Amino acid sequence: MSVWALGINHTTAPLDLRGRFAFALDQIAPTLHGLRSALSGRTARGPEAALISTCNRTEIYCAADPQAVDHTMEWMAQAGGVSPALLRSHAYTLHDGLAARHVFRVASGLDSMVLGEAQILGQMKDAVRVADQAGALGTTLNQLFQRSFAVAKEVRTATEIGTHSISMAAAAVRLASQLFEDLREVRVLFVGAGEMIELAATHFAARSPRAIAIANRTLERGEKLAGRFGGEVMRLADLPARLHEFDAVVSCTASTLPIIGLGAVERALKQRRHRPMFMVDLAVPRDIEPEVKSLEDVFLYTVDDLASVVQTGQAQRQAAVAQAEVIIDAGVQSFLHWMGQRDPVHGVVPLIRQLNQQADAWRQAELARARRLLARGEDVDAVLEALSRGLTQKMLHGAMAELHAGEGTAREHAAETISRLFLRKER
């Protein structure tokens, strides 16, 4: 069995391709079920699997036979509606130590678009919890992820990796302030009511905009968020008719199709007499049709467009990266040592299991013999003496045989090993 990762992220795949492989949290369990079913007939044992899907990445982690990687690539391509060749040209596969290093770096925020950002750790924990509840995790992946969380905690505690970190939400505010002279005169519409929108609304609210509104599919959740910022709430269905009222629009929903189209924005601009609109699409897949970017009076930014903004301050964090890598190296070596102990051929754990099984078989045999003697009325002390002698002989038989059979150097090595095992003083 091998541990491996297969994925695409913001450095290897364009936004629209990533959008084809975006899975909401409630889609992870059925997706894992489909993957494991597809692999179960092609591998020697059922695979452990986990799926992490965010705006910047979609990654599958498995503890399974190595040949399952190719089958997973085919399955993933089919799920995203693309050819295996196209997916393969943008995907990466990592095995064992490299896979462990990657997941530790992801959890620690070293592989994010925003170096040191903390949101990914919460997203990973949610994904692992769902995989565990779906019965897709086993001992190996549980160890991998729990160790990644521990390493991430140490990195954030022992280094300054998160210092000066600029989130997507903060970057959006920075761009808006470059377009509008005074954010206090700006009307802001947030589309959606999830974690990213909550974060964006918090950053914008700190600049005291003229008005805040939340458009969401369900009013109840939208009202709760709007109440925090003294804003109003509207139904998603009312958005096209009211879009022209807002100077800035920030959208991040779980919709699989764009919810703000080119036509709706064109009509809004006409009603606004072509006053500029600032739009941020934080969703993957997109919430706003990409053609909107071609409109003269619209300034549209996607998660990828924000990359250069969020890198501000990165030079100040490079020293912390070196410290974090040292912590990650130690975590990787510890995990590989644990994996090595469990190797069915060379590992210590299988040998310990076999020794325990053998010792238990000897114990059961001597107990059965003792019970038969007691049933025949034999003296208890004599039976106990025979039981202890029988166990001792069985346990020493192999060592004695090695000493008698060996010659020269082999006997010296056997004698040294047996002395170390049986004659060392108790501590």
Side-chain angles (χ1 to χ4, degrees), residues 104 107-110 121 125 146-162 320 323-332 334:
F104 289 177
S108 302
L110 268 65
L121 185 59
K125 288 182 176 181
Q146 295 308 318
R147 286 168 183 262
S148 76
F149 301 154
V151 164
K153 181 179 180 181
E154 185 176 356
V155 165
R156 296 181 190 284
T157 302
T159 77
E160 296 183 358
I161 196 68
Q323 294 176 285
E325 295 286 9
V326 172
I327 296 171
I328 288 170
D329 282 343
V332 170
S334 176

Side-chain angles (χ1 to χ4, degrees), residues 23-30 51 53 123 125-130:
F23 298 92
L25 199 61
D26 60 0
Q27 295 176 304
I28 289 180
L51 171 64
S53 182
Q123 293 170 324
K125 288 182 176 181
D126 287 341
V128 170
R129 173 179 50 79
V130 171

Side-chain angles (χ1 to χ4, degrees), residues 19-39:
R20 288 180 170 272
F21 299 97
F23 298 92
L25 199 61
D26 60 0
Q27 295 176 304
I28 289 180
T31 301
L32 287 176
H33 177 73
L35 171 62
R36 298 179 77 216
S37 297
L39 295 180

Side-chain angles (χ1 to χ4, degrees), residues 81-96:
V82 301
S83 69
L86 175 62
L87 177 59
R88 194 173 285 109
S89 68
H90 291 281
Y92 45 86
T93 56
L94 303 164
H95 294 264
D96 296 324

Side-chain angles (χ1 to χ4, degrees), residues 337-399:
H337 177 72
W338 179 85
M339 285 280 289
Q341 288 185 315
R342 298 178 61 81
D343 186 281
V345 178
H346 305 292
V348 175
V349 172
L351 179 59
I352 291 173
R353 190 179 298 118
Q354 292 173 359
L355 285 172
N356 282 329
Q357 290 172 347
Q358 180 64 79
D360 192 59
W362 288 336
R363 184 179 65 84
Q364 293 291 349
E366 289 303 317
L367 278 174
R369 180 169 175 269
R371 289 190 179 104
R372 288 196 301 272
L373 292 174
L374 289 173
R376 293 206 303 260
E378 297 285 346
D379 179 69
V380 173
D381 287 339
V383 171
L384 290 175
E385 182 70 23
L387 183 149
S388 63
R389 189 182 301 111
L391 273 177
T392 302
Q393 289 174 345
K394 283 181 169 62
M395 291 182 176
L396 291 178
H397 174 73

Side-chain angles (χ1 to χ4, degrees), residues 51-62:
L51 171 64
I52 296 173
S53 182
T54 71
C55 293
N56 293 332
R57 74 185 66 249
T58 294
E59 295 176 339
I60 294 172
Y61 292 86
C62 280

Side-chain angles (χ1 to χ4, degrees), residues 84-335:
L86 175 62
L87 177 59
R88 194 173 285 109
S89 68
H90 291 281
Y92 45 86
T93 56
L94 303 164
H95 294 264
D96 296 324
L98 291 178
R101 181 179 303 280
H102 179 73
V103 72
F104 289 177
R105 295 184 87 254
V106 170
S108 302
L110 268 65
D111 195 64
S112 297
M113 184 181 290
V114 183
L115 182 63
E117 63 94 7
Q119 188 179 14
I120 181 64
L121 185 59
Q123 293 170 324
M124 286 179 66
K125 288 182 176 181
D126 287 341
V128 170
R129 173 179 50 79
V130 171
D132 191 30
Q133 291 173 348
L137 292 189
T139 304
T140 302
L141 285 191
N142 254 318
Q143 276 286 325
L144 177 67
F145 286 114
Q146 295 308 318
R147 286 168 183 262
S148 76
F149 301 154
V151 164
K153 181 179 180 181
E154 185 176 356
V155 165
R156 296 181 190 284
T157 302
T159 77
E160 296 183 358
I161 196 68
T163 305
H164 310 297
S165 178
I166 300 177
S167 69
M168 292 290 179
V173 173
R174 176 175 292 189
L175 288 172
S177 64
Q178 292 174 2
L179 177 63
F180 300 107
E181 186 175 334
D182 188 353
L183 288 183
R184 289 175 298 181
E185 298 299 321
V186 172
R187 295 178 178 273
V188 188
L189 171 65
F190 297 99
V191 185
E195 183 180 356
M196 184 62 80
I197 288 296
E198 183 177 358
L199 186 61
T202 301
H203 279 275
F204 270 94
R207 305 295 288 271
S208 303
R210 185 175 181 182
I212 287 179
I214 308 290
N216 197 48
R217 202 174 305 277
T218 57
L219 281 181
E220 182 180 358
R221 189 168 181 180
E223 285 172 348
K224 184 177 180 181
L225 186 58
R228 283 185 52 191
F229 303 108
E232 66 167 313
V233 65
M234 71 173 75
R235 295 185 184 277
L236 209 54
D238 297 332
L239 190 152
R242 296 193 58 189
L243 189 59
H244 67 281
E245 299 176 19
F246 301 96
D247 309 296
V249 179
V250 181
S251 186
C252 187
T253 73
S255 175
T256 57
L257 296 172
I259 56 177
I260 301 177
L262 177 64
V265 179
E266 287 177 326
R267 289 190 295 274
L269 285 174
K270 188 175 181 180
Q271 289 178 279
R272 290 172 59 82
R273 297 182 180 180
H274 292 276
R275 283 183 292 117
M277 289 184 71
F278 173 77
M279 306 186 81
V280 178
D281 188 350
L282 296 174
V284 179
R286 297 176 189 256
D287 276 347
I288 303 173
E289 287 186 344
E291 293 80 8
V292 169
K293 195 165 190 174
S294 64
L295 296 176
E296 187 175 346
D297 299 303
V298 172
F299 297 83
L300 172 61
Y301 298 89
T302 66
V303 287
D304 287 357
D305 294 325
L306 295 176
S308 60
V309 180
V310 299
Q311 296 309 317
T312 301
Q314 182 158 326
Q316 299 161 293
R317 297 191 294 269
Q318 288 306 314
V321 170
Q323 294 176 285
E325 295 286 9
V326 172
I327 296 171
I328 288 170
D329 282 343
V332 170
Q333 293 306 314
S334 176
F335 177 72

